[in-house]
Amino acid sequence: MTPRSAWILTLFGALPFIAAAAGAFALPLEHHARLLYAATTYAAIILSFLGGIQWGLAVTLSETAPRSARTLFMISVTVSLAGWCLLFIEPASLRLAIAAGLFVCVWTVDGLLRLQSLIPAWFFRLRGVATAFVVGALLTLAIKI
């Protein structure tokens, strides 16, 4: 996959978050519970996806950098489990705020991976833009709903 394709697909992947935030302003109140459910479940799915990226990186490092790989394995599972735990947090505004915080945490790990040249610069820039969109949408929802 080329970086350009990854950018396009990532931005498409951020659309459900943006649509949910826009829906909070455009749709009547009776639809807000569905928006919250959609945003929260999608956040859990995407956090698991991001954990999977870290898992894959850990696999590639397992022979050359076993300590780093072990740390990444643990982080990747923690990210996925934290995403799942989101589904049980009330009130919804707290759930969305925690989701936003988890996305920032994953991006921070990506920053550390970039500092070690373990991920390419284009991928870190992509993750930064996507994280900004996602966090902005989740916090907009948390404040609006």
Side-chain angles (χ1 to χ4, degrees), residues 14-106:
L15 285 178
F17 292 110
I18 297 164
F25 291 94
L27 295 174
L29 285 174
E30 63 262 16
H31 296 289
H32 286 192
R34 282 186 197 205
L35 289 174
L36 291 171
Y37 177 77
T40 302
T41 55
Y42 192 60
I45 291 166
I46 296 302
L47 285 165
S48 289
F49 175 80
L50 295 173
I53 293 171
Q54 293 170 342
W55 181 279
L57 182 57
V59 169
T60 65
L61 294 173
S62 62
E63 292 181 6
T64 58
R67 287 180 58 199
S68 295
R70 190 171 32 256
T71 301
L72 271 174
F73 281 130
M74 288 187 290
I75 290 171
S76 72
V77 171
T78 302
V79 166
S80 296
L81 289 173
W84 175 70
C85 288
L86 280 175
L87 302 175
F88 305 99
I89 295 173
E90 293 296 338
S93 58
L94 178 60
R95 182 169 60 239
L96 293 165
I98 291 172
L102 288 170
F103 278 99
V104 171
C105 288
V106 174

Side-chain angles (χ1 to χ4, degrees), residues 93-118:
S93 58
L94 178 60
R95 182 169 60 239
L96 293 165
I98 291 172
L102 288 170
F103 278 99
V104 171
C105 288
V106 174
W107 176 78
T108 301
V109 170
D110 287 343
L112 295 172
L113 294 171
R114 178 64 202 134
L115 286 174
Q116 297 173 52
S117 298
L118 295 173

